[in-house]
Amino acid sequence: MQFTVDRHDTFTEVRSEGRLNMVAAPKLKDVISSEIGAGSRQIVVDLGQTEFMDSSGLGALISCLKMARQASGDLRIANVPPQVLMVLQLTSMDRVLTPYPDAASAFPGG
């Protein structure tokens, strides 16, 4: 699993590529924690190249959301592929992590 970070004017975009599972989940948390530590408060995780996500990946996203909110920020997800969306819907987490079509629409104006 690879993560790429792009800082925009009003938000930070973290793109994931590969499988978001128990092996990659701690790395996602480290990347998000690092970005929050660097001052990012509005973070979008672009899941467009994420081919698979399990419960560990879902747990990591929820943990990252909590980190962002504790830092007076927010975390949103974008470009969610069908398999990942199915996991979100089966767990009703799509109500907590609302999927956006792309990073720019997650935090408009950035």
mmCIF file of all heavy atoms in Angstrom, residues 65-106:
data_model
loop_
_atom_site.group_PDB
_atom_site.id
_atom_site.type_symbol
_atom_site.label_atom_id
_atom_site.label_comp_id
_atom_site.label_asym_id
_atom_site.label_seq_id
_atom_site.Cartn_x
_atom_site.Cartn_y
_atom_site.Cartn_z
ATOM 1 N N LEU A 65 -10.347 9.791 11.460
ATOM 2 C CA LEU A 65 -11.417 10.777 11.612
ATOM 3 C C LEU A 65 -11.408 11.337 13.028
ATOM 4 O O LEU A 65 -11.494 12.549 13.232
ATOM 5 C CB LEU A 65 -12.770 10.142 11.287
ATOM 6 C CG LEU A 65 -14.008 10.997 11.561
ATOM 7 C CD1 LEU A 65 -14.029 12.232 10.666
ATOM 8 C CD2 LEU A 65 -15.273 10.161 11.360
ATOM 9 N N LYS A 66 -11.265 10.454 13.998
ATOM 10 C CA LYS A 66 -11.231 10.879 15.402
ATOM 11 C C LYS A 66 -10.029 11.788 15.665
ATOM 12 O O LYS A 66 -10.153 12.818 16.335
ATOM 13 C CB LYS A 66 -11.186 9.645 16.309
ATOM 14 C CG LYS A 66 -11.272 9.956 17.776
ATOM 15 C CD LYS A 66 -11.300 8.687 18.603
ATOM 16 C CE LYS A 66 -11.277 9.007 20.084
ATOM 17 N NZ LYS A 66 -11.285 7.808 20.903
ATOM 18 N N MET A 67 -8.859 11.424 15.135
ATOM 19 C CA MET A 67 -7.660 12.260 15.300
ATOM 20 C C MET A 67 -7.888 13.656 14.739
ATOM 21 O O MET A 67 -7.539 14.655 15.368
ATOM 22 C CB MET A 67 -6.452 11.642 14.583
ATOM 23 C CG MET A 67 -5.748 10.554 15.331
ATOM 24 S SD MET A 67 -4.172 10.134 14.520
ATOM 25 C CE MET A 67 -4.713 9.081 13.194
ATOM 26 N N ALA A 68 -8.464 13.708 13.534
ATOM 27 C CA ALA A 68 -8.699 15.007 12.883
ATOM 28 C C ALA A 68 -9.672 15.852 13.695
ATOM 29 O O ALA A 68 -9.443 17.047 13.900
ATOM 30 C CB ALA A 68 -9.218 14.792 11.461
ATOM 31 N N ARG A 69 -10.731 15.236 14.174
ATOM 32 C CA ARG A 69 -11.729 15.991 14.941
ATOM 33 C C ARG A 69 -11.185 16.450 16.294
ATOM 34 O O ARG A 69 -11.529 17.526 16.762
ATOM 35 C CB ARG A 69 -13.005 15.171 15.101
ATOM 36 C CG ARG A 69 -13.739 15.068 13.766
ATOM 37 C CD ARG A 69 -15.076 14.426 13.884
ATOM 38 N NE ARG A 69 -15.772 14.472 12.597
ATOM 39 C CZ ARG A 69 -16.869 13.797 12.336
ATOM 40 N NH1 ARG A 69 -17.420 13.020 13.256
ATOM 41 N NH2 ARG A 69 -17.437 13.893 11.158
ATOM 42 N N GLN A 70 -10.330 15.650 16.898
ATOM 43 C CA GLN A 70 -9.713 16.070 18.164
ATOM 44 C C GLN A 70 -8.771 17.248 17.960
ATOM 45 O O GLN A 70 -8.496 17.985 18.894
ATOM 46 C CB GLN A 70 -8.975 14.903 18.810
ATOM 47 C CG GLN A 70 -9.911 13.886 19.419
ATOM 48 C CD GLN A 70 -9.201 12.667 19.979
ATOM 49 O OE1 GLN A 70 -8.087 12.335 19.588
ATOM 50 N NE2 GLN A 70 -9.864 11.979 20.896
ATOM 51 N N ALA A 71 -8.296 17.423 16.729
ATOM 52 C CA ALA A 71 -7.420 18.551 16.397
ATOM 53 C C ALA A 71 -8.242 19.710 15.816
ATOM 54 O O ALA A 71 -7.701 20.583 15.143
ATOM 55 C CB ALA A 71 -6.342 18.113 15.415
ATOM 56 N N SER A 72 -9.565 19.698 16.057
ATOM 57 C CA SER A 72 -10.489 20.722 15.547
ATOM 58 C C SER A 72 -10.538 20.745 14.025
ATOM 59 O O SER A 72 -10.682 21.807 13.412
ATOM 60 C CB SER A 72 -10.117 22.110 16.087
ATOM 61 O OG SER A 72 -10.184 22.112 17.487
ATOM 62 N N GLY A 73 -10.397 19.581 13.423
ATOM 63 C CA GLY A 73 -10.447 19.473 11.970
ATOM 64 C C GLY A 73 -11.489 18.463 11.540
ATOM 65 O O GLY A 73 -12.414 18.144 12.282
ATOM 66 N N ASP A 74 -11.315 17.949 10.331
ATOM 67 C CA ASP A 74 -12.242 16.945 9.811
ATOM 68 C C ASP A 74 -11.509 16.088 8.774
ATOM 69 O O ASP A 74 -10.519 16.520 8.184
ATOM 70 C CB ASP A 74 -13.450 17.617 9.167
ATOM 71 C CG ASP A 74 -14.655 16.686 9.055
ATOM 72 O OD1 ASP A 74 -14.581 15.540 9.559
ATOM 73 O OD2 ASP A 74 -15.666 17.092 8.466
ATOM 74 N N LEU A 75 -11.995 14.884 8.598
ATOM 75 C CA LEU A 75 -11.459 13.968 7.592
ATOM 76 C C LEU A 75 -12.626 13.486 6.754
ATOM 77 O O LEU A 75 -13.683 13.126 7.297
ATOM 78 C CB LEU A 75 -10.761 12.779 8.261
ATOM 79 C CG LEU A 75 -10.175 11.757 7.284
ATOM 80 C CD1 LEU A 75 -8.769 11.372 7.702
ATOM 81 C CD2 LEU A 75 -11.056 10.522 7.199
ATOM 82 N N ARG A 76 -12.447 13.507 5.448
ATOM 83 C CA ARG A 76 -13.486 13.061 4.527
ATOM 84 C C ARG A 76 -12.873 12.092 3.527
ATOM 85 O O ARG A 76 -11.659 12.079 3.337
ATOM 86 C CB ARG A 76 -14.114 14.260 3.818
ATOM 87 C CG ARG A 76 -14.786 15.185 4.831
ATOM 88 C CD ARG A 76 -15.396 16.391 4.238
ATOM 89 N NE ARG A 76 -15.950 17.229 5.303
ATOM 90 C CZ ARG A 76 -16.479 18.402 5.101
ATOM 91 N NH1 ARG A 76 -16.548 18.913 3.881
ATOM 92 N NH2 ARG A 76 -16.960 19.093 6.122
ATOM 93 N N ILE A 77 -13.722 11.290 2.900
ATOM 94 C CA ILE A 77 -13.240 10.323 1.910
ATOM 95 C C ILE A 77 -13.813 10.678 0.540
ATOM 96 O O ILE A 77 -14.903 11.239 0.439
ATOM 97 C CB ILE A 77 -13.588 8.878 2.306
ATOM 98 C CG1 ILE A 77 -15.098 8.710 2.524
ATOM 99 C CG2 ILE A 77 -12.800 8.454 3.544
ATOM 100 C CD1 ILE A 77 -15.536 7.274 2.759
ATOM 101 N N ALA A 78 -13.048 10.349 -0.495
ATOM 102 C CA ALA A 78 -13.469 10.684 -1.855
ATOM 103 C C ALA A 78 -13.087 9.573 -2.819
ATOM 104 O O ALA A 78 -12.219 8.756 -2.526
ATOM 105 C CB ALA A 78 -12.806 11.997 -2.277
ATOM 106 N N ASN A 79 -13.778 9.580 -3.965
ATOM 107 C CA ASN A 79 -13.439 8.671 -5.065
ATOM 108 C C ASN A 79 -13.457 7.208 -4.592
ATOM 109 O O ASN A 79 -12.523 6.464 -4.820
ATOM 110 C CB ASN A 79 -12.064 9.073 -5.622
ATOM 111 C CG ASN A 79 -11.829 8.583 -7.018
ATOM 112 O OD1 ASN A 79 -12.742 8.126 -7.694
ATOM 113 N ND2 ASN A 79 -10.595 8.655 -7.448
ATOM 114 N N VAL A 80 -14.537 6.845 -3.935
ATOM 115 C CA VAL A 80 -14.626 5.542 -3.269
ATOM 116 C C VAL A 80 -15.042 4.444 -4.263
ATOM 117 O O VAL A 80 -16.111 4.517 -4.854
ATOM 118 C CB VAL A 80 -15.636 5.608 -2.099
ATOM 119 C CG1 VAL A 80 -15.749 4.274 -1.397
ATOM 120 C CG2 VAL A 80 -15.231 6.704 -1.117
ATOM 121 N N PRO A 81 -14.190 3.413 -4.438
ATOM 122 C CA PRO A 81 -14.537 2.325 -5.358
ATOM 123 C C PRO A 81 -15.637 1.414 -4.788
ATOM 124 O O PRO A 81 -15.899 1.432 -3.577
ATOM 125 C CB PRO A 81 -13.221 1.565 -5.525
ATOM 126 C CG PRO A 81 -12.378 1.948 -4.378
ATOM 127 C CD PRO A 81 -12.867 3.273 -3.871
ATOM 128 N N PRO A 82 -16.288 0.616 -5.644
ATOM 129 C CA PRO A 82 -17.438 -0.196 -5.228
ATOM 130 C C PRO A 82 -17.174 -1.121 -4.027
ATOM 131 O O PRO A 82 -18.013 -1.210 -3.125
ATOM 132 C CB PRO A 82 -17.775 -1.006 -6.473
ATOM 133 C CG PRO A 82 -17.279 -0.179 -7.610
ATOM 134 C CD PRO A 82 -16.050 0.517 -7.089
ATOM 135 N N GLN A 83 -16.049 -1.815 -3.986
ATOM 136 C CA GLN A 83 -15.797 -2.753 -2.879
ATOM 137 C C GLN A 83 -15.692 -2.009 -1.551
ATOM 138 O O GLN A 83 -16.228 -2.449 -0.532
ATOM 139 C CB GLN A 83 -14.529 -3.574 -3.132
ATOM 140 C CG GLN A 83 -14.313 -4.721 -2.141
ATOM 141 C CD GLN A 83 -13.628 -4.307 -0.831
ATOM 142 O OE1 GLN A 83 -12.877 -3.348 -0.765
ATOM 143 N NE2 GLN A 83 -13.922 -5.045 0.236
ATOM 144 N N VAL A 84 -15.030 -0.871 -1.558
ATOM 145 C CA VAL A 84 -14.871 -0.075 -0.342
ATOM 146 C C VAL A 84 -16.222 0.506 0.076
ATOM 147 O O VAL A 84 -16.578 0.490 1.257
ATOM 148 C CB VAL A 84 -13.818 1.035 -0.547
ATOM 149 C CG1 VAL A 84 -13.735 1.947 0.669
ATOM 150 C CG2 VAL A 84 -12.452 0.419 -0.845
ATOM 151 N N LEU A 85 -17.000 0.973 -0.896
ATOM 152 C CA LEU A 85 -18.332 1.504 -0.607
ATOM 153 C C LEU A 85 -19.225 0.432 0.006
ATOM 154 O O LEU A 85 -19.981 0.699 0.941
ATOM 155 C CB LEU A 85 -18.969 2.069 -1.882
ATOM 156 C CG LEU A 85 -20.329 2.733 -1.710
ATOM 157 C CD1 LEU A 85 -20.259 3.904 -0.731
ATOM 158 C CD2 LEU A 85 -20.863 3.196 -3.053
ATOM 159 N N MET A 86 -19.102 -0.800 -0.484
ATOM 160 C CA MET A 86 -19.903 -1.900 0.063
ATOM 161 C C MET A 86 -19.576 -2.113 1.542
ATOM 162 O O MET A 86 -20.472 -2.287 2.368
ATOM 163 C CB MET A 86 -19.657 -3.189 -0.720
ATOM 164 C CG MET A 86 -20.504 -4.351 -0.238
ATOM 165 S SD MET A 86 -20.188 -5.887 -1.127
ATOM 166 C CE MET A 86 -18.519 -6.242 -0.637
ATOM 167 N N VAL A 87 -18.294 -2.089 1.903
ATOM 168 C CA VAL A 87 -17.892 -2.243 3.305
ATOM 169 C C VAL A 87 -18.485 -1.111 4.146
ATOM 170 O O VAL A 87 -19.024 -1.345 5.233
ATOM 171 C CB VAL A 87 -16.349 -2.278 3.441
ATOM 172 C CG1 VAL A 87 -15.921 -2.206 4.900
ATOM 173 C CG2 VAL A 87 -15.783 -3.523 2.774
ATOM 174 N N LEU A 88 -18.413 0.113 3.631
ATOM 175 C CA LEU A 88 -18.970 1.261 4.352
ATOM 176 C C LEU A 88 -20.477 1.115 4.545
ATOM 177 O O LEU A 88 -21.003 1.377 5.626
ATOM 178 C CB LEU A 88 -18.664 2.559 3.608
ATOM 179 C CG LEU A 88 -17.209 2.992 3.577
ATOM 180 C CD1 LEU A 88 -16.997 4.093 2.550
ATOM 181 C CD2 LEU A 88 -16.756 3.447 4.956
ATOM 182 N N GLN A 89 -21.179 0.679 3.503
ATOM 183 C CA GLN A 89 -22.630 0.544 3.577
ATOM 184 C C GLN A 89 -23.057 -0.605 4.484
ATOM 185 O O GLN A 89 -24.013 -0.473 5.256
ATOM 186 C CB GLN A 89 -23.220 0.367 2.185
ATOM 187 C CG GLN A 89 -23.118 1.633 1.356
ATOM 188 C CD GLN A 89 -23.501 1.436 -0.099
ATOM 189 O OE1 GLN A 89 -23.416 0.326 -0.642
ATOM 190 N NE2 GLN A 89 -23.888 2.512 -0.758
ATOM 191 N N LEU A 90 -22.348 -1.731 4.430
ATOM 192 C CA LEU A 90 -22.691 -2.882 5.273
ATOM 193 C C LEU A 90 -22.538 -2.566 6.759
ATOM 194 O O LEU A 90 -23.237 -3.138 7.593
ATOM 195 C CB LEU A 90 -21.828 -4.091 4.911
ATOM 196 C CG LEU A 90 -22.173 -4.793 3.605
ATOM 197 C CD1 LEU A 90 -21.121 -5.848 3.278
ATOM 198 C CD2 LEU A 90 -23.558 -5.421 3.670
ATOM 199 N N THR A 91 -21.637 -1.663 7.072
ATOM 200 C CA THR A 91 -21.392 -1.291 8.468
ATOM 201 C C THR A 91 -22.078 0.021 8.840
ATOM 202 O O THR A 91 -21.918 0.489 9.965
ATOM 203 C CB THR A 91 -19.880 -1.159 8.724
ATOM 204 O OG1 THR A 91 -19.342 -0.169 7.839
ATOM 205 C CG2 THR A 91 -19.169 -2.487 8.519
ATOM 206 N N SER A 92 -22.806 0.606 7.909
ATOM 207 C CA SER A 92 -23.459 1.915 8.069
ATOM 208 C C SER A 92 -22.471 3.042 8.349
ATOM 209 O O SER A 92 -22.857 4.104 8.821
ATOM 210 C CB SER A 92 -24.530 1.862 9.177
ATOM 211 O OG SER A 92 -25.547 0.958 8.825
ATOM 212 N N MET A 93 -21.214 2.820 8.049
ATOM 213 C CA MET A 93 -20.198 3.852 8.260
ATOM 214 C C MET A 93 -20.230 4.912 7.165
ATOM 215 O O MET A 93 -19.597 5.952 7.295
ATOM 216 C CB MET A 93 -18.799 3.236 8.344
ATOM 217 C CG MET A 93 -18.520 2.551 9.647
ATOM 218 S SD MET A 93 -18.412 3.757 10.986
ATOM 219 C CE MET A 93 -19.634 3.154 12.102
ATOM 220 N N ASP A 94 -21.004 4.650 6.095
ATOM 221 C CA ASP A 94 -21.154 5.679 5.070
ATOM 222 C C ASP A 94 -21.933 6.869 5.594
ATOM 223 O O ASP A 94 -21.920 7.939 5.001
ATOM 224 C CB ASP A 94 -21.806 5.109 3.801
ATOM 225 C CG ASP A 94 -23.170 4.495 4.052
ATOM 226 O OD1 ASP A 94 -23.397 3.930 5.150
ATOM 227 O OD2 ASP A 94 -24.015 4.558 3.141
ATOM 228 N N ARG A 95 -22.567 6.720 6.758
ATOM 229 C CA ARG A 95 -23.258 7.840 7.406
ATOM 230 C C ARG A 95 -22.288 8.697 8.206
ATOM 231 O O ARG A 95 -22.531 9.871 8.431
ATOM 232 C CB ARG A 95 -24.360 7.323 8.323
ATOM 233 C CG ARG A 95 -25.449 6.604 7.570
ATOM 234 C CD ARG A 95 -26.492 6.067 8.491
ATOM 235 N NE ARG A 95 -27.450 5.259 7.746
ATOM 236 C CZ ARG A 95 -28.306 4.454 8.293
ATOM 237 N NH1 ARG A 95 -28.350 4.331 9.609
ATOM 238 N NH2 ARG A 95 -29.129 3.755 7.548
ATOM 239 N N VAL A 96 -21.209 8.094 8.641
ATOM 240 C CA VAL A 96 -20.186 8.802 9.418
ATOM 241 C C VAL A 96 -19.109 9.360 8.483
ATOM 242 O O VAL A 96 -18.672 10.503 8.626
ATOM 243 C CB VAL A 96 -19.547 7.850 10.460
ATOM 244 C CG1 VAL A 96 -18.440 8.542 11.224
ATOM 245 C CG2 VAL A 96 -20.606 7.311 11.416
ATOM 246 N N LEU A 97 -18.683 8.541 7.536
ATOM 247 C CA LEU A 97 -17.689 8.934 6.534
ATOM 248 C C LEU A 97 -18.414 9.051 5.197
ATOM 249 O O LEU A 97 -18.473 8.096 4.423
ATOM 250 C CB LEU A 97 -16.583 7.879 6.426
ATOM 251 C CG LEU A 97 -15.550 7.856 7.526
ATOM 252 C CD1 LEU A 97 -14.733 6.568 7.475
ATOM 253 C CD2 LEU A 97 -14.629 9.059 7.411
ATOM 254 N N THR A 98 -18.998 10.194 4.949
ATOM 255 C CA THR A 98 -19.763 10.391 3.722
ATOM 256 C C THR A 98 -18.834 10.411 2.512
ATOM 257 O O THR A 98 -17.893 11.206 2.474
ATOM 258 C CB THR A 98 -20.539 11.725 3.785
ATOM 259 O OG1 THR A 98 -21.361 11.719 4.953
ATOM 260 C CG2 THR A 98 -21.387 11.927 2.550
ATOM 261 N N PRO A 99 -19.066 9.537 1.542
ATOM 262 C CA PRO A 99 -18.213 9.526 0.341
ATOM 263 C C PRO A 99 -18.510 10.725 -0.574
ATOM 264 O O PRO A 99 -19.664 11.062 -0.803
ATOM 265 C CB PRO A 99 -18.587 8.223 -0.362
ATOM 266 C CG PRO A 99 -19.368 7.424 0.630
ATOM 267 C CD PRO A 99 -19.990 8.409 1.567
ATOM 268 N N TYR A 100 -17.455 11.346 -1.054
ATOM 269 C CA TYR A 100 -17.561 12.446 -2.019
ATOM 270 C C TYR A 100 -17.011 11.961 -3.363
ATOM 271 O O TYR A 100 -16.134 11.100 -3.386
ATOM 272 C CB TYR A 100 -16.786 13.673 -1.534
ATOM 273 C CG TYR A 100 -17.438 14.336 -0.339
ATOM 274 C CD1 TYR A 100 -17.190 13.884 0.951
ATOM 275 C CD2 TYR A 100 -18.320 15.391 -0.517
ATOM 276 C CE1 TYR A 100 -17.809 14.469 2.041
ATOM 277 C CE2 TYR A 100 -18.947 15.991 0.584
ATOM 278 C CZ TYR A 100 -18.682 15.525 1.846
ATOM 279 O OH TYR A 100 -19.299 16.100 2.944
ATOM 280 N N PRO A 101 -17.498 12.548 -4.471
ATOM 281 C CA PRO A 101 -17.043 12.080 -5.786
ATOM 282 C C PRO A 101 -15.548 12.300 -6.030
ATOM 283 O O PRO A 101 -14.903 11.514 -6.712
ATOM 284 C CB PRO A 101 -17.880 12.870 -6.784
ATOM 285 C CG PRO A 101 -18.742 13.791 -6.008
ATOM 286 C CD PRO A 101 -18.548 13.543 -4.562
ATOM 287 N N ASP A 102 -15.001 13.388 -5.480
ATOM 288 C CA ASP A 102 -13.581 13.681 -5.649
ATOM 289 C C ASP A 102 -13.110 14.566 -4.497
ATOM 290 O O ASP A 102 -13.924 15.081 -3.729
ATOM 291 C CB ASP A 102 -13.295 14.330 -6.999
ATOM 292 C CG ASP A 102 -14.144 15.567 -7.242
ATOM 293 O OD1 ASP A 102 -14.197 16.439 -6.356
ATOM 294 O OD2 ASP A 102 -14.758 15.656 -8.321
ATOM 295 N N ALA A 103 -11.802 14.727 -4.386
ATOM 296 C CA ALA A 103 -11.225 15.480 -3.265
ATOM 297 C C ALA A 103 -11.703 16.931 -3.254
ATOM 298 O O ALA A 103 -12.005 17.479 -2.188
ATOM 299 C CB ALA A 103 -9.704 15.422 -3.323
ATOM 300 N N ALA A 104 -11.802 17.550 -4.403
ATOM 301 C CA ALA A 104 -12.192 18.955 -4.467
ATOM 302 C C ALA A 104 -13.615 19.190 -3.945
ATOM 303 O O ALA A 104 -13.886 20.215 -3.325
ATOM 304 C CB ALA A 104 -12.057 19.469 -5.895
ATOM 305 N N SER A 105 -14.505 18.238 -4.159
ATOM 306 C CA SER A 105 -15.874 18.414 -3.677
ATOM 307 C C SER A 105 -16.023 18.088 -2.190
ATOM 308 O O SER A 105 -17.015 18.457 -1.573
ATOM 309 C CB SER A 105 -16.860 17.590 -4.520
ATOM 310 O OG SER A 105 -16.557 16.214 -4.414
ATOM 311 N N ALA A 106 -15.046 17.407 -1.621
ATOM 312 C CA ALA A 106 -15.097 17.100 -0.189
ATOM 313 C C ALA A 106 -14.933 18.373 0.650
ATOM 314 O O ALA A 106 -15.582 18.535 1.678
ATOM 315 C CB ALA A 106 -14.023 16.081 0.175
#
